[in-house]
Amino acid sequence: MASSSTFPDPAIGLPPRVESDSMGSLDIPADCLWGCQTQRSLMNFPIGGTESKMPLEVIYGMALVKKCCAEYHAEIGKMDAKVAGAIAQAADEVIAGHHDRQFPLVTFQTGSGTQTNMNVNEVLSNRAIQILGGEVGSKAPVHPNDHVNKGQSSNDSFPTAMHLSLTKMVVETTIPGMEALLAALNEKMEKFSDIVKIGRTHCQDATPLTLGQEFSGYAMQVEYGIQRLKNSLPSICRLALGGTAVGTGLNTSIGYDAAIAERLAKATGLPFITAPNKFEALAGHDSLVEVSGVLNTIACSLNKIANDLRMLASGPRCGLGELSLPANEPGSSIMPGKVNPTQCEAMTMVCAQVMGNHVAVTVGGAQGHFELNVFKPLMIANLLQSARLVGDSSQSFSSRCVEGLTVNKSRVDELMNASLMLVTALNPHIGYDKASEIAKKCHKEGTTLKEGAVASGYLTAEQFDEWIVPSEMIGPK
């Protein structure tokens, strides 16, 4: 599909068409709606496979920008209404996913996203020409630059599409996924509120708490993550469109930037506004680094939660075994009956990917030079992946792990009663040093805490039973 060969396209048996621009002529595959600039990008950036393709969310965002701009220009009398209508119809088709194969470019291209901007311009131009009954590739009556790109530069339209696509992803995928996980964790927190278990610090026995208290920590980590994401939304809802090449707004009219932002807000139902300073909006992407940082922090939280659950469910007979996770699929190709914590493993791999993506976004955000940041495609590709992965994995982890996990109460009681750290409750009565002496002696001799405490002579069996009550050790007196 990306070939510039003059041989007929084997898929349709038609020879390629020839298109020209300021750089010369090129052969374009007959069934493709793109033009010379897209074809040159395919030739000049043969980097990566399908994983490196420009995210379609960015394409859809750009198509919406083009639609709103065309309709605005028609409304103020600066574009023929039929041309604007054809561009809008073509954009709607793109947004609906009808022309996905017409956007073959990779992320690793010019750092402003110019090739992708022109890919969208060319496809919308040629599709609008088809709608109006013209000849594809003729650039008449719809020109990719003069009409589809009117009032825009890649430098402001591409970052606008970045913010559109990321905001939409966070609102529609990331936050709902995390809210589902929060609801599941809160439900377990309530259900497990009366189950007293042994705590662990440094991966060593510690004092008791309830399983509900333990899950309340997980729930709060997720809740904080949701709050931080919501707090970051206003910063990424500020749009660069209207800054054109360097932030000055050359080739636009006063009020254009606010009018387009208002149209985009109405079309998406999201609170987009025009960026108050277009120079910052083009040259710096601190708000995107901020969102990536929030996703990175969330990844740290989710990684901790997933690791805790897989360790608490380790076993089932030779590990901690306090929890049982849902048996979703066979765990081994050689060990019959084995069940693995696969949702926990998937979640922690997602977290590793998000953390790695944040490094790339951070480096990209630091690469603003003068009036333009030229790491835009890299930043948005990584951000969209992180936002989707966090949302999808949270939803999956919630429904396929947290909701179905159960407690092995007998194992919880066994481990709690075997712990020597219950001795901490004796501190107020016999002092730290004597309590420590008892614990160390019990561990060395393999006796129970009660046996060692009574044998020490520092307290009676009756006092032990009065002072060592795990259910009374889960909060302040």
Side-chain angles (χ1 to χ4, degrees), residues 414-438:
E414 175 190 353
L415 291 173
M416 182 185 65
N417 292 325
S419 173
L420 298 177
M421 287 304 101
L422 298 178
V423 76
T424 306
L426 298 181
N427 288 359
H429 304 285
I430 65 175
Y432 179 93
D433 291 337
K434 290 178 181 178
S436 178
E437 176 188 327
I438 292 172

Side-chain angles (χ1 to χ4, degrees), residues 135-389:
E135 181 183 350
V136 170
S138 66
K139 300 183 182 178
V142 186
H143 194 284
N145 298 82
D146 297 339
H147 296 109
V148 184
N149 198 61
K150 186 176 180 63
Q152 306 155 55
S153 163
S154 301
N155 297 349
D156 69 343
S157 64
F158 190 84
T160 297
M162 291 166 63
H163 284 241
L164 289 175
S165 60
L166 179 60
T167 304
K168 186 176 174 66
M169 182 70 75
V170 169
V171 169
E172 296 182 359
T173 300
T174 316
I175 291 176
M178 293 185 66
E179 288 177 336
L181 177 56
L182 176 60
L185 290 170
N186 279 330
E187 190 272 333
K188 295 299 180 183
M189 176 185 72
E190 295 294 332
K191 186 174 183 179
F192 300 157
S193 61
D194 295 329
I195 299 176
V196 181
K197 55 160 287 179
I198 198 64
R200 297 178 180 88
T201 59
H202 304 273
C203 290
Q204 303 293 306
D205 300 348
T207 56
L209 75 167
T210 69
L211 190 57
Q213 289 172 323
E214 194 165 38
F215 269 73
S216 75
Y218 305 148
M220 187 56 69
Q221 284 185 285
V222 174
E223 185 174 341
Y224 281 155
I226 295 170
Q227 290 175 359
R228 285 189 289 264
L229 269 182
K230 290 181 177 179
N231 289 341
S232 71
L233 287 176
S235 65
I236 58 172
C237 283
R238 298 194 297 261
L239 304 180
L241 201 75
T244 60
V246 297
T248 61
L250 178 67
N251 290 349
T252 67
S253 54
I254 295 175
Y256 161 80
D257 53 355
I260 300 301
E262 185 178 347
R263 287 173 178 268
L264 291 169
K266 183 178 181 180
T268 61
L270 297 169
F272 292 113
I273 60 172
T274 187
N277 187 298
K278 304 301 189 297
F279 305 101
E280 180 274 338
L282 271 61
H285 289 310
D286 298 344
S287 62
L288 299 185
V289 178
E290 176 189 357
V291 174
S292 183
V294 171
L295 292 169
N296 185 67
T297 303
I298 290 170
C300 292
S301 298
L302 296 177
N303 195 80
K304 196 269 184 188
I305 295 167
N307 271 337
D308 274 14
L309 295 190
R310 76 164 133 191
M311 287 189 282
L312 289 171
S314 59
R317 295 190 175 181
C318 300
L320 296 181
E322 293 183 352
L323 300 178
S324 290
L325 303 183
N328 295 327
E329 63 274 314
S332 173
S333 61
I334 189 174
M335 293 176 280
K338 194 170 190 293
V339 176
N340 292 332
T342 53
Q343 288 294 316
C344 297
E345 291 165 6
M347 174 63 85
T348 51
M349 285 192 285
V350 161
C351 294
Q353 184 66 60
V354 171
M355 293 173 192
N357 287 350
H358 180 53
V359 174
V361 173
T362 302
V363 173
Q367 298 304 313
H369 299 133
F370 304 114
E371 278 62 62
L372 189 67
N373 176 289
V374 290
F375 273 61
K376 299 182 194 297
L378 171 79
M379 294 181 73
I380 190 57
N382 280 273
L383 272 164
L384 286 172
Q385 185 188 44
S386 292
R388 178 180 291 280
L389 287 177

